[in-house]
Every structure is written in structure tokens, then in C-alpha cells.
Amino acid sequence: MTTETPARVRFAPSPTGVMHIGGLRTALYDWFLARKTGGQFILRIEDTDRNRYDPDAEWHIKESLKWLGLDLDEGPEIGGPYAPYTQSERLQLYQDAAERLIASGDAYYDDTTPEELAALRQRQQAAGQPPGYDNRGRYRTAEQIQESRDKGLEVVVRFKVPDHGELQVEDEVRGRLKFDLSLLQDFVILKSDGFPTYHLAHVVDDYEMGITHVIRGEEWIPSCPRHVLIQRALGISTPKYVHVPLITAQDGAKLSKRHGAQSALEYRDAGYTPDAVLNYLALLGWSPGDDTEVMSRSEIASRFEIERILSHPAKFSAQKLEWMNQQHIMKADEDELAEMMMPYLERPEEEGGLLEEIDRPIDRSIVRAMVPVLRERIKVLPDVIELIDFLFVDEVQPNPEEMIGRRMDEEMVFTSLNASIQALESLETFDGEAIEQALRGLTQSTGLKAGQLFTPIRVAVTAKRIAPPLFESIEVLGRERTIERLQRGLAIFSNYAGNRDD
RNA sequence: GCCCCGUUGGUGCAGCGGCCUAGCACGUCGGCCUUUCAAGCCGGAGAUCACGGGUUCGAAUCCCGUACGGGGUACCA
């Protein structure tokens, strides 16, 4: 492995809503790079838009990172050498930077009102011209600005973009990007409320915090020259830029509510494991270079390379995610898997948990015992519920009709039930192996085929047509309850068969 | 409109000038196994590598156009 210098990377979301999986994927790449190079993974909250601020968002972001297991080295609350890590607490820094830019002639105060801007835009549209600021504020005098201030008009600070020239930016994914500066208008760096815009704030912070790699979505490419311009004017270094491709929905459009779950925690609630989501997301925009798909987080972290990040957008496939989840469930440690299943079983019935009548906390030893046969039968964790609920209730309600399987008659049902009751009663040790031996032996003595023998038993014991393997189920249910159910099944079936004959 | 990025089977990737009669995975179809359901195993269908020009002895791979898709064009990030 090549020796790499430790990367300092930051995940810098804006607290404006739930954490989208696109953002999560970016955080993932940050984390992988930090872990692989032995660097730091930093969380920075970019709350410079007071209008869109959502007080719940920060919690949601942290909860999402925690769930995925992306541990932070620095961030709000936990702190770090560059605290604070919330931009609204760092305003002085941005204001100082803006003043420095004004002093050097790279920025200026602008009192153009929103109304004027709107009117300008309208005129441009009417004239068929491209909309954009016309840099009119460049020519304001200090006196004019003061006058506006006295009148109570709002003043912003704009960055002065060179009128012409080409600016090149090195992107780690796409190579050299070129931009024509004559097409870029002067842009706001400090808003009239004293808050910085993204452009100023993140450039200042990335520098202050020693960020080495800026990993962000490709929607930032067009404004990248602004960032480099600010850096040059401030005389600070440019970090490595890593613009990662977008994640789109099946129809190629931006992922949204319409396309199924979008927030990280929704996937948690739906029963996806963190490892599977992490694995799947990692592959959406990156590949290890060979055909390996199912990987542990440490394997991904060690194989992760910026050079292998893709430059084209990836479509999110819920189907493949399901498969990935299944793969991780099948590879998981059995004790851990049982623990992972518990919350889904325990949650209230109306939230998809076990029936209300079943007392909580539920018996985890039952779940644990069934894990080996459950794991390859579920795609998401809550799938276990309908597979094993019969083990938790006192009584089941088998449908006698279902006891008559394919190529079976009533007589066979009676034979199966009677013979199995007898066989199980006389068993010395009641474990899966003994149960299997005893019941399989019955095919000889009764002349029934396996399917004919087991179908009535399955229905009587589980009241299901689709159930986990029988022998394990019976072992976990216990001799007494199994026999009880077989007898009750027999009674129900007799009643059914009797009525049917009449 | 203008600017930027992208384009390999339905989907996600491999491919970084000859080993490609384009490989893997998901999905799909058929079979085997089998106490149900899964899992597993075997096999099939599915791509003129968006299109058109170059460069080269040779291009999915390099260059240029076109088309299509996406992104940006805010006192939002």
C-alpha cells in the first residue's frame, strides 16, 4: 500500500431538512478517505441561511452518521482544535475576510436592492438576454453607500470577478476544468444580515480548519471558480477538489420522495443494516476496480481511492439495495444479527412490530435460536416478524383447508397428525436432530411422502403455509406446545372434515 | 438562452490502444435441489460500447463535432 499523507476532510451539510442519501454518500467518501489515510473526519454545520434553517436537521444529520457508524474526529459538541464547528458561531471570521477583500479591492459594498435586481432580471428576460447581475455596484462611492445605510437600505458585500480571462481548476475526478471568467458576474459573499454566503464561508473555514480535500456533489462544479477566486484574493491555498457524481432515481431525475425512501433514517426504520447501506452507497459512484461487490466497511475503507470515483451519475436501485442487505444479513454474526432484529420485533404493532397481545420485552432467546434458519429468508430485518410470530403467541388459528396439501386427501392429514403426535411424545431428547429423525422415520411407517407428512404438521404448528423449517421451529416451540397445537389442529381438522362430509 | 459535467445490456460496475467473438453483479427466464419459503447450484435471453467524423497497422478505450441526459445560472446551500 502506498503511504499517503493523512487527509483532513469535512462533511459540511446545511441543516435544512432530513439527511438525504446523496449527502450520506458524500459523508461516506469523506469518512473512507479519512480512515484510509489516518486523517480526520470532521463535521461542520453550515447554517448560514436563516430562512431555511430547520432546528431538527442537526440532530437528524448526527443520528444518520451515527447509525451508519461514521465516527467523527471533530465537530459540534465533541469539539476539536478548530472549534466552533458551526458557522453561525464563526461570523466574525467571515466578516473579517470580507473586510480584507474590500481593503484589497477584491470586493465592494453594494446597496442594490432586491427590487432593483428583480427589475433588472425582468428587463434582461424581456430583451432576450441572459439574466445576471450587471456589476453596477462596482461604481458606488463610499458616500453613496453611507447614504443608503442612513436611509436604512440593506447593503451586501460582493466579490469583484475579473472581467475576462480563463480560470482552471484541477478536479481529482474529472481532471482540469476550465471556466471563462467573462461569463461570471460579481457575486454576494456577505449578505445584508451579516451572514456569509456559502462561497465565502466554506472557503474561509476549509482554510482555517486545514481541510485537504473538498469532497462534494458535482452540482458545485459551476461555482468552483468563485471559490478559487476568493482563495487567490485572500492569498490562501486551494484544497484538492473532489466532485462526486449525483445519485439519481430510476428515471434519471433527482432522487425525491416520489422515488421511495430518501432519508438515511428511513432505511434504518425499514430494516436495512448499516453495513449494507454503507456498502451499497459506496458502490454508487465508486468501484474497487474489480468485480468485488459485497464488502465489509473496513475492506471498503482500505480499498477506497479517489482515483476510482466515477464521473457519471448513478441510478439508485432499491432492488439491488435489498439484495445487498440480504448479503450482509447472511454474513453477519448470529448473535449480532439477533440483536439487530430485536427492535423491529419489539416496536408497537401499529409500527409493524409483533402483535400487541404479545408481552414486551420479547424473549430474545427465541429469536437467537431461530437466527440460523431466518437469515437466508429475509431481505430486510422486519421480515422476521411474520416468519416467527407463531412462536410468541399462546395459540394459533390454523386453516384446516391448508392442511390438505398437493396430492393429498383427508385421510393423509389424520395420519400425519396422529403419527407425529405419537412420535414426538415418545421422544427422549427433544432437539432438532432427534425431531427430524423421528418425523422423517414416519414416512416409512405411514407410507406418506415427506410433503404429505409435513404439510399438515406445519399448518397445525404455525398456522402458515410459508414458515421457517419445521424441525427447528418445533424444537424452539417445545414439546408441550407443539403437541398441544398438533392436537388442536387435529380437532379443528376433524370438525372441518366432518362438516364437509355432511 | 448561456456555462459545466456526463453517455458500456432494464440497472450498477469492469474495461484505461491489441488478451473484447465486450467480463462481473442485480433483475429477468428455464432447470436442479427441496417439508413450505428461501438460500444454493446449473443454464438461457439481453449491448451494432449514444451517433458521426477523425488519429492509428489497430479504438469501447485518444481527438473533434452532433444528439441525448443531468447540473448550474440567487442576499439557497
Side-chain angles (χ1 to χ4, degrees):
Chain A
M1 203 207 291
T2 50
T3 337
E4 288 169 274
T5 48
R8 279 182 61 80
V9 284
R10 97 283 122 122
F11 176 54
S14 185
T16 54
V18 297
M19 186 148 163
H20 191 278
I21 49 173
L24 200 63
R25 203 260 325 251
T26 304
L28 213 61
Y29 288 2
D30 282 320
W31 185 79
F32 286 141
L33 186 64
R35 292 296 164 262
K36 180 179 178 178
T37 62
Q40 289 82 38
F41 175 53
I42 300 154
L43 174 66
R44 187 173 70 220
I45 301 297
E46 309 219 321
D47 57 344
T48 54
D49 184 345
R50 295 182 305 167
N51 298 320
R52 293 202 306 155
Y53 181 74
D54 174 355
D56 296 330
E58 193 171 329
W59 173 85
H60 202 276
I61 289 163
K62 289 176 183 165
E63 197 66 15
S64 301
L65 294 178
K66 202 163 84 184
W67 176 63
L68 259 207
L70 307 187
D71 54 315
L72 295 167
D73 297 305
E74 298 167 31
E77 285 173 38
I78 64 169
Y82 301 94
Y85 290 88
T86 300
Q87 291 189 326
S88 60
E89 296 168 25
R90 303 167 62 84
L91 296 182
Q92 192 60 51
L93 235 36
Y94 316 126
Q95 284 160 9
D96 289 350
E99 268 164 40
R100 251 182 293 145
L101 290 171
I102 289 169
S104 65
D106 291 300
Y108 56 87
Y109 288 112
D110 182 19
D111 60 357
T112 311
T113 64
E115 291 71 33
E116 281 180 74
L117 252 20
L120 171 66
R121 179 172 305 260
Q122 223 165 31
R123 252 179 290 130
Q124 287 167 327
Q125 267 172 350
Q129 291 169 336
Y133 182 66
D134 58 4
N135 300 349
R136 60 177 65 182
R138 287 187 182 184
Y139 313 103
R140 296 298 157 99
T141 62
E143 290 70 34
Q144 284 174 306
I145 295 296
Q146 192 52 48
E147 209 174 298
S148 289
R149 282 215 162 95
D150 293 342
K151 277 193 281 190
L153 288 181
E154 300 192 317
V155 174
V156 301
V157 176
R158 276 185 195 269
F159 187 88
K160 197 190 284 177
V161 178
D163 292 326
H164 43 75
E166 185 188 68
L167 190 143
Q168 301 192 349
V169 184
E170 219 45 61
D171 178 81
E172 300 300 309
V173 176
R174 286 153 236 268
R176 182 161 299 177
L177 269 27
K178 296 173 183 172
F179 301 91
D180 180 354
L181 292 178
S182 68
L183 266 15
L184 229 196
Q185 285 81 42
D186 293 352
F187 56 95
V188 175
I189 54 176
L190 203 65
K191 301 184 249 186
S192 59
D193 62 4
F195 277 67
T197 58
Y198 169 82
H199 306 305
L200 209 219
H202 94 276
V203 164
V204 168
D205 285 343
D206 285 344
Y207 174 70
E208 292 289 332
M209 296 181 177
I211 300 303
T212 59
H213 301 254
V214 171
I215 304 180
R216 51 165 37 162
E218 71 171 350
E219 71 268 23
W220 290 109
I221 292 178
S223 58
C224 202
R226 291 177 177 154
H227 311 326
V228 174
L229 248 18
I230 294 177
Q231 283 151 190
R232 288 182 185 171
L234 247 23
I236 62 180
S237 57
T238 295
K240 286 190 189 301
Y241 281 111
V242 183
H243 289 105
V244 300
L246 259 30
I247 298 176
T248 71
Q250 300 291 2
D251 57 7
K254 229 172 172 173
L255 210 52
S256 74
K257 302 181 249 305
R258 295 182 23 244
H259 308 293
Q262 55 166 355
S263 90
L265 298 185
E266 281 176 76
Y267 285 96
R268 176 193 65 185
D269 296 343
Y272 290 88
T273 71
D275 283 333
V277 172
L278 181 125
N279 192 167
Y280 179 71
L281 247 31
L283 258 20
L284 235 39
W286 170 82
S287 100
D290 57 22
D291 293 327
T292 316
E293 294 197 298
V294 182
M295 290 174 277
S296 68
R297 70 177 55 217
S298 59
E299 190 177 357
I300 301 172
S302 69
R303 298 187 65 170
F304 188 77
E305 275 177 289
I306 288 176
E307 297 70 46
R308 296 211 55 88
I309 292 178
L310 302 161
S311 56
H312 55 267
K315 285 185 182 144
F316 183 87
S317 165
Q319 244 176 357
K320 185 117 188 196
L321 206 213
E322 274 199 344
W323 170 81
M324 184 62 82
N325 203 48
Q326 194 172 30
Q327 295 304 307
H328 281 271
I329 284 173
M330 287 197 281
K331 285 177 76 174
D333 173 82
E334 295 192 344
D335 288 319
E336 284 171 21
L337 189 52
E339 282 313 305
M340 284 195 271
M341 291 170 175
M342 292 305 290
Y344 298 94
L345 289 155
E346 289 203 310
R347 61 188 181 188
E349 183 181 347
E350 66 264 27
E351 286 172 32
L354 280 169
L355 292 174
E356 216 52 55
E357 65 191 68
I358 298 167
D359 291 337
R360 319 292 154 102
I362 64 156
D363 187 346
R364 51 202 337 118
S365 67
I366 293 179
V367 180
R368 177 61 188 86
M370 292 297 284
V371 160
V373 296
L374 292 175
R375 65 188 319 162
E376 62 202 24
R377 268 161 255 264
I378 62 172
K379 287 196 189 311
V380 290
L381 266 3
D383 285 347
V384 299
I385 295 167
E386 61 171 21
L387 243 26
I388 57 169
D389 55 359
F390 73 94
L391 290 170
F392 297 96
V393 295
D394 295 330
E395 228 173 37
V396 293
Q397 304 299 330
N399 178 352
E401 247 175 275
E402 292 181 351
M403 293 184 194
I404 311 173
R406 289 178 51 203
R407 270 173 282 155
M408 283 182 68
D409 57 29
E410 291 179 4
E411 199 49 44
M412 292 174 171
V413 175
F414 284 117
T415 308
S416 158
L417 261 19
N418 279 316
S420 57
I421 290 170
Q422 258 194 334
L424 293 177
E425 270 174 341
S426 58
L427 258 189
E428 281 180 26
T429 46
F430 201 76
D431 60 38
E433 209 174 309
I435 293 164
E436 170 160 13
Q437 212 171 21
L439 293 184
R440 281 206 192 281
L442 259 28
T443 54
Q444 305 240 311
S445 53
T446 61
L448 293 177
K449 295 205 187 300
Q452 300 167 331
L453 177 70
F454 296 133
T455 299
I457 302 175
R458 178 179 312 104
V459 175
V461 170
T462 69
K464 294 175 191 300
R465 223 192 315 226
I466 296 170
L470 247 192
F471 314 124
E472 287 84 348
S473 298
I474 289 176
E475 178 184 358
V476 173
L477 231 204
R479 188 200 308 257
E480 222 173 291
R481 294 167 78 201
T482 301
I483 289 174
E484 240 171 59
R485 289 187 187 188
L486 288 171
Q487 281 168 338
R488 186 150 176 279
L490 196 55
I492 289 171
F493 189 77
S494 312
N495 188 33
Y496 163 80
N499 288 336
R500 207 174 169 217
D501 292 342
D502 290 344

